[in-house]
Amino acid sequence: MEPVNQIDGRAYPFGQKNVDTDVIIPSHWLKTITREGLGRGAFETLRKDPDNLFDSAEFAGAPILIAGDNFGCGSSREHAAWALLDLGVRAVIAPSFSDIFSGNAFKNGIVTVVLPQDAIDRLIEVAQTQPIHVDLENQTVTTPFQDRFTFEIDAFRKTCLLGGLDEVGLTLARSDAIGAFESTVRADRPFLAKGTQVAAAA
């Protein structure tokens, strides 16, 4: 997972409420065996409109998405986070998120920022013409017009996002302690190691 801290750029002024994971990535895209290319299917039904936001040259490659209440509701498909990431989105700002989507986003390096509706309305207004700045370390969202909104985030999630640590990375960060424990177990209980070797040989 790539570390994430400062996210700068244009933001999709989306704003829709109750956007479920089937809207984010339709079910027929779930048959893929790779995460790559899922951005092409992101918001596919909405992109049938030739004037849709996600194919607008003005917002191409925008790293931020501004959404409405209850973003990511519906099924638990992790493909929704993968699709957003492949689209180039590294932060989603909304008044609230589905818990499962928020967890999936975090595990894939996407920052979910919760702000009140009045802040969302202001950011959507600014995003029409100007970039947005998300600062994870200082937990702020700012605009070129001196708007400054602070947000809360779980301390553990913040540490993982800043360090680019997913579950594998967290485990590897403890490799010295794990190795020391295994050495102690082999010395104190050699019969366990022998049993493992016999099982492996069998």
Side-chain angles (χ1 to χ4, degrees):
M1 187 169 81
E2 291 293 322
V4 57
N5 184 1
Q6 310 285 331
I7 306 169
D8 286 291
R10 296 300 297 274
Y12 295 106
F14 186 42
Q16 287 192 24
K17 298 181 180 181
N18 300 312
V19 174
D20 66 26
T21 51
D22 196 51
V23 172
I24 299 171
I25 185 74
S27 59
H28 63 267
W29 283 89
L30 308 191
K31 300 173 184 176
T32 180
I33 58 172
T34 177
R35 303 180 188 190
E36 295 178 7
L38 284 175
R40 296 193 308 272
F43 303 103
E44 183 179 65
T45 54
L46 301 179
R47 292 165 86 173
K48 290 178 181 177
D49 179 350
D51 297 323
N52 78 86
L53 188 64
F54 299 100
D55 289 320
S56 167
E58 185 176 2
F59 298 103
I64 302 166
L65 173 68
I66 305 171
D69 267 321
N70 198 28
F71 185 81
C73 57
S75 74
S76 61
R77 66 187 67 165
E78 193 172 11
H79 295 68
W82 297 346
L84 288 174
L85 203 59
D86 197 59
L87 188 65
V89 173
R90 296 304 304 271
V92 182
I93 307 172
S96 65
F97 295 90
S98 157
D99 287 343
I100 295 175
F101 171 82
S102 183
N104 286 338
F106 152 65
K107 290 178 181 179
N108 286 280
I110 298 174
V111 181
T112 52
V113 176
V114 175
L115 290 176
Q117 188 62 52
D118 59 344
I120 297 295
D121 294 340
R122 174 57 179 162
L123 290 173
I124 287 176
E125 179 185 2
V126 172
Q128 303 291 336
T129 58
Q130 299 295 324
I132 303 292
H133 177 71
V134 178
D135 183 335
L136 175 60
E137 186 169 4
N138 294 303
Q139 297 176 211
T140 59
V141 178
T142 55
T143 77
F145 302 109
Q146 307 307 310
D147 300 291
R148 180 184 174 87
F149 306 106
T150 60
F151 62 91
E152 298 298 320
I153 186 169
D154 176 80
F156 172 73
R157 289 188 174 188
K158 178 179 177 179
T159 298
C160 291
L161 288 166
L162 289 171
L165 298 171
D166 56 14
E167 283 133 335
V168 174
L170 286 168
T171 302
L172 291 175
R174 301 287 295 166
S175 60
D176 289 345
I178 293 168
F181 173 78
E182 290 178 340
S183 295
T184 300
V185 169
R186 280 194 295 270
D188 291 347
R189 304 171 214 169
F191 58 89
L192 292 178
K194 178 182 279 188
T196 301
Q197 292 170 358
V198 170

